[in-house]
Amino acid sequence: MLVMLALSACWYAVLIFAEVRWLRPQFDRGRWATVFPMGTTAVATSVADAAAVGRLHTPGQVLLWIAVAAWVITLVGLVRHLAA
């Protein structure tokens, strides 16, 4: 389980690096391709209590809030794009 968490953290780092490295000032629907795996990984990790792996609950919550922030930012970009 800890190996999967480490791989997830590396994937988060890759996603964030790619978004920062290749900035897209305008909304691009490709951003959802970044947000979706962040969300699914965060939810899978944060429900670790159901799998009796309680020590993953806190890291899962951290990943979840990062994913929520990314989702909100992407949603705001979509709304602004549709309003324009």
Side-chain angles (χ1 to χ4, degrees), residues 25-77:
Q26 284 84 11
F27 175 77
D28 180 8
R29 52 187 176 160
R31 291 215 189 277
W32 291 111
T34 299
V35 173
F36 181 76
M38 291 176 79
T40 56
T41 301
V43 170
T45 307
S46 67
V47 296
D49 285 338
V53 188
R55 65 183 175 264
L56 293 182
H57 183 75
T58 301
Q61 290 296 310
V62 171
L63 294 177
L64 183 62
W65 284 110
I66 293 170
V68 167
W71 186 86
V72 168
I73 291 168
T74 304
L75 182 63
V76 168

Side-chain angles (χ1 to χ4, degrees), residues 14-34:
V14 167
L15 288 172
I16 292 170
F17 172 78
E19 285 294 330
V20 171
R21 171 66 176 90
W22 293 283
L23 289 176
R24 295 175 276 184
Q26 284 84 11
F27 175 77
D28 180 8
R29 52 187 176 160
R31 291 215 189 277
W32 291 111
T34 299

